[in-house]
Amino acid sequence: MRAVEDAVRRIRLLDDRHGADGLYKVAAQPLRTAYALLDAGTTARRSTEDRLHAGAGELSLSVGWLAHDSGRHEDARSHYAEALATARVAGSSGNAALEAHAFCNTSFLARDTGRHREAVRAAQAGLRAARPLGSARLLSLLSLREACAWAGLGDRSACERALGRAHAFFERGPGDDDPEWMSFFGEPEREAQEAQCWAVLGDRGRAARHAHRAVVLQNPHFARNLALYRAQLARDLAHASRPDEAAAEARRVVDSLDGIASARIRELLAETGRVLAATR
């Protein structure tokens, strides 16, 4: 059981530093081991069995995120669905926490693949699952997921309402009930998520301001996320007709990519390059 929980932590740490591309296939092995233990039907105490279900579900979400971030969207969808199914047979507290996490990731993936109504529904389901858990930061992140999904549907009013809820939850501050997997979620990530909303709604100047705050506030420990925020900023500056600044940010991203592999970052850089080429 402890080995499964430790594997989840190691994967998250490596993803924070290096991105997903090189980790996905390696991470799949402990996931297979965890589900083999479940399938073996051990006679462990119920509390241990519940921990194993919760650990296997979290591991499935971590591996699913690696698939998501490296562009393997169908694999990610399968892992997220597997985690959600595991949540349904976990203990009561593990059920709600794992469901909220699974719906959070599912909403993000649905938005990334253009299924915006599914993204709204998944975020709202995650909010329902999360409310009894006592984590305002989790409710904030799920509200941001909903906001981004509404932006994808072009509904500015619904997006702004969800952003307002996200800010209100965030201002309550961190708490003891915040899930361990949310270590990445602070003010920089909140700013980056809001930047994405405005970018999708076509307000590129506002998007660039939020993306810039995300870059300035980000702890360098989260090397992959810092590179991602810079890539988002470069794209938003390019679309806002600020080509020199966009090119400078893109160069900073490229210079920082040693040891970082992420399909999402490459896609953002490619989009920036296309916009700059058209501008020239």
Side-chain angles (χ1 to χ4, degrees):
M1 178 62 242
R2 187 178 298 277
V4 173
E5 293 169 343
D6 287 346
V8 174
R9 294 188 183 100
R10 284 198 302 273
I11 289 168
R12 288 176 187 152
L13 177 63
L14 290 168
D15 180 47
D16 287 340
R17 293 179 179 171
H18 304 295
D21 283 3
L23 295 174
Y24 174 59
K25 291 182 181 179
V26 175
Q29 180 55 52
L31 178 62
R32 286 192 291 270
T33 301
Y35 277 99
L37 289 172
L38 287 175
D39 291 342
T42 61
T43 57
R45 289 179 302 176
R46 180 56 188 265
S47 61
T48 302
E49 185 179 349
D50 288 346
R51 278 182 64 197
L52 183 56
H53 274 96
E58 287 293 341
L59 188 54
S60 188
L61 288 171
S62 292
V63 175
W65 166 247
L66 296 177
H68 184 169
D69 193 41
S70 57
R72 299 172 174 90
H73 291 151
E74 286 307 312
D75 287 352
R77 188 176 177 86
S78 175
H79 288 304
Y80 293 165
E82 187 172 47
L84 189 57
T86 302
R88 301 290 165 82
V89 295
S92 57
S93 62
N95 183 327
L98 190 56
E99 274 201 39
H101 190 181
F103 280 127
C104 184
N105 284 26
T106 298
S107 178
F108 194 7
L109 177 64
R111 187 203 73 185
D112 271 1
T113 52
R115 300 190 306 276
H116 300 296
R117 291 201 181 278
E118 180 184 333
V120 170
R121 290 194 298 270
Q124 291 172 342
L127 284 163
R128 289 192 295 272
R131 283 200 171 91
L133 299 176
S135 170
R137 286 292 167 92
L138 177 55
L139 292 171
S140 178
L141 177 58
L142 284 160
S143 297
L144 284 167
R145 294 282 189 254
E146 184 183 351
C148 288
W150 284 122
L153 288 170
D155 192 330
R156 187 185 183 99
S157 295
C159 176
E160 289 179 339
R161 287 194 296 272
L163 284 175
R165 291 194 299 273
H167 280 274
F169 285 128
F170 191 89
E171 292 306 316
R172 295 184 191 178
D176 294 338
D177 293 318
D178 294 341
E180 185 178 346
W181 61 267
M182 288 190 65
S183 60
F184 74 96
F185 184 63
E187 194 170 359
E189 179 66 17
R190 188 195 70 183
E191 292 285 357
Q193 291 287 320
E194 185 161 351
Q196 291 176 36
C197 290
W198 296 120
V200 172
L201 288 170
D203 193 338
R204 294 291 185 167
R206 196 168 183 176
R209 290 194 294 275
H210 284 284
H212 180 260
R213 284 200 286 270
V215 168
V216 170
L217 293 168
Q218 182 58 49
N219 185 328
H221 164 79
F222 294 96
R224 178 262 179 199
N225 276 7
L226 180 56
L228 176 63
Y229 300 160
R230 283 195 185 281
Q232 290 174 344
L233 175 57
R235 179 202 59 187
D236 293 333
L237 289 168
H239 281 287
S241 300
R242 294 159 64 180
D244 292 342
E245 295 169 79
E249 286 298 335
R251 284 194 294 271
R252 290 188 183 100
V253 176
V254 173
D255 290 344
S256 72
L257 286 181
D258 185 30
I260 298 174
S262 168
R264 295 171 63 82
I265 294 172
R266 292 197 301 273
E267 289 168 6
L268 287 165
L269 288 173
E271 182 179 348
T272 302
R274 289 192 295 271
V275 175
L276 291 177
T279 301
R280 293 194 187 99

